[in-house]
Amino acid sequence: MLKPILKIENVSKSFFGIRVLKDISFNIYKGEIIGLLGANGAGKSTLLKIIGGTQKADIGHIFLEDTILEHNTPYTAQHKGIISVYQELNVFLNLTVAENLFIGREKRTRTGMIDWKSTYKEAQEILNILGLDIKANAIISTLSIAQQYLIEIARAINKSPKLLLLDEPTSSLSENEIDWLFGKIREIVAKGTTVVYVSHRLDEVTELCNRSVILRDGRLAFVSEGNLDKNTIIRHMIGRDVKLQKSIVKENREDIVLECSSIYSDNGVRNISFNVRKGEILGIAGLVGAGRTELLRALFGMDRITSGTVTKNGKTLKIGSPNNAIKNGIISIPEDRKLEGLFLEENTRFNIASATVKNRAKVGFVKLKEEKKAVYKAANDVCLDTGRMEHLVRQLSGGNQQKVGIAKILLANADVILLDEPTKGVDIGARKEIYEIIRGLAKERKVIMLVSSDWEELIYLSHRMIVMAEGRITGELTGTITEEKIMHLSTTTHVKKTAAKIEKKKKSTILKKLGGLYQNSNMIILPLILLLFIILGGVLSPFFGRWMNIRNLFGQAMTIMLLTLGQLVVIVAGGLDLSIGALMAVSGVIGLKIMLAYPEYVFVTVIVMLALGILVGIINAFLVVKAKINTFVVTIGMMLILEGIALLVSPRPIGPSPEIFKKLANGDIFGIPNVLLLMITIIAIFAILLKCTPLGRRFFAVGENSMISYNTGLPVEKTKFIAFIICSIMAVVAAIFMLGRSGAADPTLGLGIELDSIAIVLIGGATLAGGKGSLPGAILGVFVLTILANILNLLNMPLWYQEVVRGVLLLAIIISYEKRIRAVKKL
């Protein structure tokens, strides 16, 4: 008798009082591919996440090779050999392919630093062995969605898992990529890996899986001893047989409603011409990246149409936005319902009514009684449970979320409906209901444009079909449509590239690279501005180029440099610290007060100051990470507390500072200013930290997406704690430096300086969203502002005018940066 690799015993789970798993028990055996199947809401993904450690079971136990998985997290699960690939992408868009492949288990040198040469070399070897035509140094965000999924799958396979959990892995893959995936699954299974495979594409399950476990309404409905046929799976999934049979399509002689002529768009649609008649379902087929979604986005005003005409009922339209599209009777359900189609943190009623609120408003107030009546009717029309109108949409299953989107378009009463993958992630039972809704809309003489990667679905629903490749229409299919005909046109391109077009593409690639350099770090404009200021300084003041002034510049830059480096780390890690200016002031005042009282304990006092910084960093991190309070609220509150403490300790500046600090800040070694040597040392330390250590890579990963980082097994909370502590320590170091530079401590010294540090980090290439930031950009930003201030001081410009000039410069740089990002994205 085979010994199970995984035993699931009496597992139950509830969300918000709703039971999604009820007493689930079954075994998984080593070396098998087992299908985990069920309708939407059956509990498949929840069970997968419990096994993978991202969720906890309320009741029950899971055993891996007779060892109970207690206190299971993604980190512990992965170290035990359980690797998960979830339906939602779990890659880091701002990191390279190689960094994604080795995140959390970086290749290191003997000193513990990241071995970049070995990392990229081994990453490329992995990609080549797996047969993926992708460069290891490519930034993930430059890849297609399908390629990003392939990278995530490659990362999972490369970890040589005992148990591989795959949740809808083929939802964004082409036929060739699916064949590649199946081949790799069979290869790793032959080497001893066990695979749990979740998919709504039942043909895949019958082809790939050895046996199946079927859930229905959170309960175990059936466990097979061998492979099942499609009809048997459906019967156990939904309790009845479902058969799709295409009805005979008569030639549509109705009036043309929508006509497009020679459409070009910013998003890659090229020379598209077609028409659609009343009551017609026009299918749009093609492989991933063919331009199907882009066409619908252009017609709905989400992307700009650059040339060509769109005519509706004989009237030429100018669609510049979704609002204009809706006004002209065109509405859309986007492919990514969670990001673009629904308000996940709002209730079902709000989502259904959201596109038509103004239709039920009077004098600026919504007529709730009328809204509820309209929403409930639309919900009934799409077979949506009206008892869940006040539930958050994120609590609904994928199929019910899709019904919410359809109910929303019913209320809009549009006559042109754009549907992009309307059954993506939806089970066969809910699909049947959605199919009937789509057909019902066509019977009401609505125009339906339908994009789907499921060609069987397209053939079943479409009256007529156009096929796309490389942003163009490659053919039209009517009558008897087969998958072979679709494939032929999908892999045929009528695009003839002239030498001029090829050259244009090469130029575009160069521009993308240059734009990407600016997009990531502002490394084009900041050096130019710095050079300009140096030239202007020399021209406007003879004192600017003298050694005394240059030495003074380094001293002026040092304080803001220290604060900026700390702020850079916390912003990259997805936070923000508004308390560092006040911390610099309070630590300086408290420290100098102790030194003046006990001059023999200078070094002990420095330790006390650093301990204060660490304590403030820990408190900030605890409130942000553990208490889940907004980082802005926490740090501005801490800023106010520290400002008050500084004034309580000493309402006025105190001094003098110990001589050792003055020598450290203002002295030199062999004619080289100490401040310059300190600056170089600290910059080198941060360069090594951010670029060469696993901790530095974790800052970027956690800042980009903490949930993905957690799912990947990274220590998210620990990483954020360290970021806040580093930031606070740098504020104390800045205070120590200022004690030497000014010879005194001022309780109001740091007011406003935290905003300067944030602005410099942003103009250096970071974003407040986290996950991006540039050390060279931040350093250049420090010197740009420092030299500007120095020039204005030499010109004796009043302080308030200086503030205006600095503000204008910061806005100009950030605005040009944002414009450049948008321009790069259009290339």
Side-chain angles (χ1 to χ4, degrees), residues 287-499:
L287 301 176
V288 174
R292 303 163 303 161
T293 293
E294 289 75 10
L295 173 58
L296 295 196
R297 287 177 61 90
L299 292 177
F300 192 53
M302 297 178 74
D303 295 315
R304 188 170 68 96
I305 294 175
T306 55
S307 65
T309 58
V310 179
T311 305
K312 183 170 176 282
N313 295 323
K315 177 186 174 183
T316 300
L317 304 181
K318 289 186 178 180
I319 306 171
S321 68
N323 187 43
N324 286 341
I326 292 171
K327 286 180 179 178
N328 285 288
I330 302 173
I331 198 161
S332 169
I333 295 183
E335 177 182 10
D336 194 329
R337 56 180 177 257
K338 292 186 177 180
L339 288 180
E340 298 178 342
L342 298 172
F343 301 98
L344 296 178
E345 297 304 319
E346 297 291 346
N347 61 32
T348 302
R349 175 170 57 83
F350 176 90
N351 273 271
I352 294 175
S354 59
T356 54
V357 171
K358 64 180 181 180
N359 297 344
R360 294 173 298 280
K362 189 175 183 180
V363 198
F365 293 93
V366 177
K367 293 182 278 187
L368 290 177
K369 186 175 180 180
E370 184 178 327
E371 178 179 278
K372 286 183 179 180
K373 182 179 178 181
V375 166
Y376 276 62
K377 182 182 183 304
N380 281 320
D381 289 343
V382 298
C383 302
L384 185 64
D385 182 5
T386 55
R388 305 189 71 177
M389 289 298 100
E390 303 306 318
H391 289 195
L392 298 182
V393 158
R394 65 177 172 81
Q395 296 174 235
L396 304 182
S397 67
N400 283 328
Q401 287 179 354
Q402 200 67 299
K403 289 180 183 179
V404 170
I406 296 173
K408 180 169 69 174
I409 69 172
L410 291 182
L411 280 189
N413 199 30
D415 50 4
V416 175
I417 300 170
L418 313 177
L419 301 177
D420 194 351
E421 304 285 2
T423 62
K424 183 178 180 180
V426 175
D427 66 80
I428 188 67
R431 281 190 186 198
K432 178 68 173 176
E433 293 176 347
I434 292 172
Y435 293 164
E436 294 309 313
I437 294 168
I438 293 171
R439 284 186 156 182
L441 291 170
K443 288 177 182 178
E444 294 176 12
R445 305 180 79 196
K446 309 281 189 184
V447 166
I448 313 290
M449 292 183 62
L450 173 66
V451 167
S452 177
S453 297
D454 187 333
W455 291 350
E456 182 182 7
E457 176 176 279
L458 272 182
I459 293 169
Y460 173 67
L461 288 172
S462 302
H463 299 143
R464 181 165 55 95
M465 194 181 298
I466 57 175
V467 184
M468 295 184 66
E470 297 186 11
R472 298 175 181 265
I473 293 177
T474 56
E476 179 178 317
L477 297 173
T478 57
T480 303
I481 302 174
T482 64
E483 292 191 20
E484 288 75 19
K485 291 179 181 179
I486 297 174
M487 177 59 77
H488 173 71
L489 292 173
S490 296
T491 55
T492 300
T493 176
H494 301 308
V495 183
K496 295 181 179 179
K497 294 180 181 177
T498 63

Side-chain angles (χ1 to χ4, degrees), residues 222-235:
F222 186 76
V223 179
S224 73
E225 294 302 321
N227 202 350
L228 297 176
D229 63 85
K230 185 175 177 179
N231 291 332
T232 304
I233 293 173
I234 293 171
R235 186 168 65 253

Side-chain angles (χ1 to χ4, degrees), residues 250-257 275-280 442-445 447:
K250 296 180 181 179
E251 183 181 355
N252 190 320
R253 298 181 181 275
E254 293 275 4
D255 295 336
I256 292 174
V257 176
N275 61 61
V276 201
R277 298 177 182 271
K278 285 183 181 178
E280 186 174 27
K443 288 177 182 178
E444 294 176 12
R445 305 180 79 196
V447 166

Side-chain angles (χ1 to χ4, degrees), residues 500-541:
K501 287 181 179 178
I502 294 172
E503 184 62 28
K504 182 179 179 182
K505 184 177 180 182
K506 288 180 180 177
K507 290 180 180 178
S508 175
T509 302
I510 294 171
L511 288 174
K512 275 189 176 182
K513 289 180 178 178
L514 290 173
L517 181 64
Y518 182 21
Q519 181 182 351
N520 287 325
S521 61
N522 276 10
M523 292 303 291
I524 291 178
I525 195 168
L526 289 179
L528 294 177
I529 293 174
L530 185 61
L531 179 62
L532 176 63
F533 282 175
I534 291 172
I535 294 171
L536 282 175
V539 171
L540 295 175
S541 172

Side-chain angles (χ1 to χ4, degrees), residues 180-202:
W180 171 89
L181 173 61
F182 284 8
K184 296 306 170 188
I185 289 174
R186 292 184 177 109
E187 284 180 17
I188 62 173
V189 167
K191 295 176 182 178
T193 295
T194 302
V195 176
V196 180
Y197 189 88
V198 173
S199 179
H200 285 121
R201 298 180 176 183
L202 301 186

